[in-house]
Amino acid sequence: MNAYDVIIGSGVNALTAGVVLARQGKSVAIFERNDWLGGNILTEETVFPGFKTDILSAYHTMFVTGPAYIKFKEELTANGLRYRNTPAPTASSMPGKSPDDAKSIIFFTDRQKTIAEVNRHTPGNGNMVNTVVRAC
């Protein structure tokens, strides 16, 4: 019987761990209870027919800007990965003192649009976001 390094679940972190372990010469077995890979990075009809909801899909932006995707991007692309995104992949709601004060802030793939959006809600903070992103 073969010995495996077992990974439960097939989310982005699990798949990345599997790749890293396999490249170190380990025998890896990844087990997933669902009939798709990728964990909760998924869009499906959950509310009512015809209305698709992203289930934790905002996390994908953290993956594609992280070191694993950068390191494995060429190989993933060569093996058929076609990454898609929208111009405004992430938003956050901000409660106010009353329902009329509630706001939403949108984060765009265009950095300048994101800076302007953050500055619109909290003047000066968009510039700080830009500084932090450039430092990464």
Side-chain angles (χ1 to χ4, degrees):
M1 180 173 207
N2 294 332
Y4 290 95
D5 291 294
V6 173
I7 298 172
I8 305 297
S10 69
V12 170
N13 291 330
L15 294 174
T16 301
V19 169
V20 170
L21 288 170
R23 289 194 171 176
Q24 292 175 358
K26 307 284 185 179
S27 294
V28 178
I30 297 176
F31 294 90
E32 173 58 58
R33 71 177 171 178
N34 297 311
D35 59 356
W36 69 87
L37 299 176
N40 280 332
I41 298 181
L42 172 72
T43 301
E44 66 180 1
E45 293 180 9
T46 59
V47 180
F48 54 85
F51 184 81
K52 293 186 178 183
T53 303
D54 288 331
I55 302 175
L56 296 176
S57 293
Y59 181 78
H60 74 91
T61 57
M62 296 171 72
F63 174 68
V64 297
T65 58
Y69 179 71
I70 292 166
K71 182 174 183 175
F72 302 125
K73 182 179 180 178
E74 281 186 37
E75 187 174 349
L76 290 168
T77 301
N79 283 288
L81 177 69
R82 185 171 147 215
Y83 188 79
R84 295 180 177 183
N85 207 345
T86 64
T90 307
S92 179
S93 59
M94 300 180 296
K97 293 180 182 178
S98 72
D100 293 334
D101 292 334
K103 301 175 187 172
S104 294
I105 188 166
I106 299 171
F107 296 88
F108 299 91
T109 53
D110 180 313
R111 187 183 301 174
Q112 295 307 313
K113 284 184 178 181
T114 298
I115 292 167
E117 175 76 352
V118 173
N119 280 334
R120 183 170 70 86
H121 291 286
T122 56
N125 283 336
N127 301 324
M128 181 183 68
V129 167
N130 187 44
T131 300
V132 169
V133 170
R134 277 198 330 240
C136 295

